[in-house]
Amino acid sequence: MIETITELDALRARVMGWKRQGLRVGFVPTMGNLHAGHYSLIMLVRQYADRVVSSVFVNPTQFGPNEDYTRYPRTPDADTTGLEGAGCDVLWLPTVESMYPFGIELAAKVHVPGVSSVLEGECRPGHFDGVCTVVSRLFNQVVPDVAGFGKKDYQQLAVIRQMVTDLAFPIQILGGSIVREADGLAMSSRNQYLSAQERPRAAEIRRTLQQMRQAMLAGTARAEVEAAARAHLTAAGFQVDYAVVRRPDLSEPGPADTGARVALIAARLGRTRLIDNLEF
Ligand code: PAF
């Protein structure tokens, strides 16, 4: 049976008890409204840990003023059942007050320069400060040995890895593979904002990423690949924030670069902002 914990003292006691028994503790932070992508992360972390904690906390500090904080879907009962089915031992449910005891204005913030400032950082100013601020708190609350983050949020994973190295958190970070719907759309809590007309068109993002990879591997210039992807998505009715090819650290690859790269897209379909990526 999964145990739901809402008090920090109780969480610490549970985790300390496990550690005294020599057990390794895994952690998967989430904002709830869980789907197969989250559950696959629980199962991934389980392979590296004896016990798994997952948190559900819709973090106000990572939403911009015009973003969906208040309407972000909250489904606590389904989340609890799903986490239990995926093998999670403890569900950690902090409140906004316990996460930010001095209030949001006076909260100590964590800023990771460089990798935070491009792409999502340009489109959503302050977003990664909010993510790092809450994830560092969650790490201090749960004190895990290993933690899992989905690769759908590719840049978030890169930012977290840099934060963990820079702040010397003794935590192994795992990246979980993207889980997709049958038509290729990456699973996301925000997919449910898509209308019935928009939903089939959303899979165009994945097809565009595949075209970008194919064109890059065929030797097409990066600028041409990026421009074609943007034009294609715009013609398909998307408002494109970016459609780019980057190195894994999100720096721009040079013309002769044949090492590991990743194609990344962020685009809006109606009111829904979708992100996805493809490594090659
Ligand atoms: O990826 C998410 O769901 C969130 O950004 C995270 C890591 C749980 C922090 O609030």
Side-chain angles (χ1 to χ4, degrees):
M1 275 288 283
I2 191 166
E3 180 185 8
T4 298
I5 298 185
T6 57
E7 298 295 332
L8 185 54
D9 288 349
L11 177 71
R12 286 198 198 285
R14 175 66 65 243
V15 172
M16 287 303 287
W18 290 337
K19 292 204 168 180
R20 270 196 295 271
Q21 295 172 55
L23 301 176
R24 251 171 91 77
V25 178
F27 177 48
V28 178
T30 82
M31 296 206 301
N33 194 241
L34 305 179
H35 50 67
H38 296 107
Y39 300 136
S40 74
L41 268 181
I42 302 279
M43 290 184 256
L44 173 70
V45 166
R46 179 103 244 171
Q47 293 169 35
Y48 294 77
D50 305 295
R51 296 287 182 272
V52 180
V53 177
S54 184
S55 58
V56 171
F57 179 68
V58 185
N59 172 36
T61 65
Q62 70 188 77
F63 289 79
N66 299 316
E67 294 184 354
D68 53 348
Y69 173 62
T70 46
R71 70 181 181 117
Y72 196 84
R74 288 153 169 94
T75 49
D77 294 341
D79 293 348
T80 309
T81 309
L83 284 171
E84 183 165 285
C88 179
D89 297 287
V90 162
L91 167 57
W92 166 226
L93 285 181
T95 59
V96 174
E97 292 71 30
S98 66
M99 188 63 76
Y100 298 109
F102 297 102
I104 287 172
E105 287 308 310
L106 294 182
K109 310 263 179 354
V110 179
H111 173 69
V112 174
V115 66
S116 282
S117 62
V118 297
L119 303 178
E120 288 299 291
E122 281 171 324
C123 301
R124 305 180 68 189
H127 169 67
F128 287 124
D129 293 355
V131 169
C132 291
T133 295
V134 81
V135 170
S136 55
R137 280 164 159 72
L138 287 163
F139 282 171
N140 285 331
Q141 293 165 354
V142 178
V143 198
D145 300 292
V146 53
F149 293 82
K151 284 192 185 178
K152 188 180 88 70
D153 294 301
Y154 191 91
Q155 189 175 1
Q156 171 172 279
L157 178 58
V159 170
I160 298 290
R161 285 193 194 283
Q162 186 164 321
M163 178 185 82
V164 162
T165 302
D166 203 20
L167 297 183
F169 279 108
I171 302 172
Q172 179 186 3
I173 300 298
L174 304 173
S177 302
I178 300 175
V179 179
R180 297 181 180 280
E181 304 286 357
D183 66 353
L185 177 65
M187 286 196 182
S188 163
S189 305
R190 291 187 167 106
N191 290 351
Q192 63 199 272
Y193 299 153
L194 294 164
S195 70
Q197 290 74 34
E198 289 164 348
R199 172 60 192 83
R201 285 159 57 207
E204 204 51 45
I205 292 197
R206 163 73 167 165
R207 287 191 282 273
T208 309
L209 287 167
Q210 287 169 324
Q211 287 160 11
M212 291 171 82
R213 173 178 63 182
Q214 205 178 347
M216 288 299 297
L217 294 177
T220 311
R222 181 168 62 88
E224 207 179 306
V225 171
E226 294 178 353
R230 181 176 276 273
H232 177 79
L233 286 168
T234 306
F238 291 83
Q239 279 176 276
V240 182
D241 281 346
Y242 55 80
V244 297
V245 175
R246 291 287 183 265
R247 292 199 189 100
D249 65 0
L250 298 172
S251 62
E252 296 193 17
D257 204 327
T258 53
R261 282 155 296 166
V262 55
L264 303 114
I265 289 175
R268 242 170 257 276
L269 193 52
R271 293 174 62 209
T272 312
R273 187 170 187 274
L274 301 165
I275 62 170
D276 198 355
N277 66 82
L278 186 62
E279 294 174 288
F280 58 94

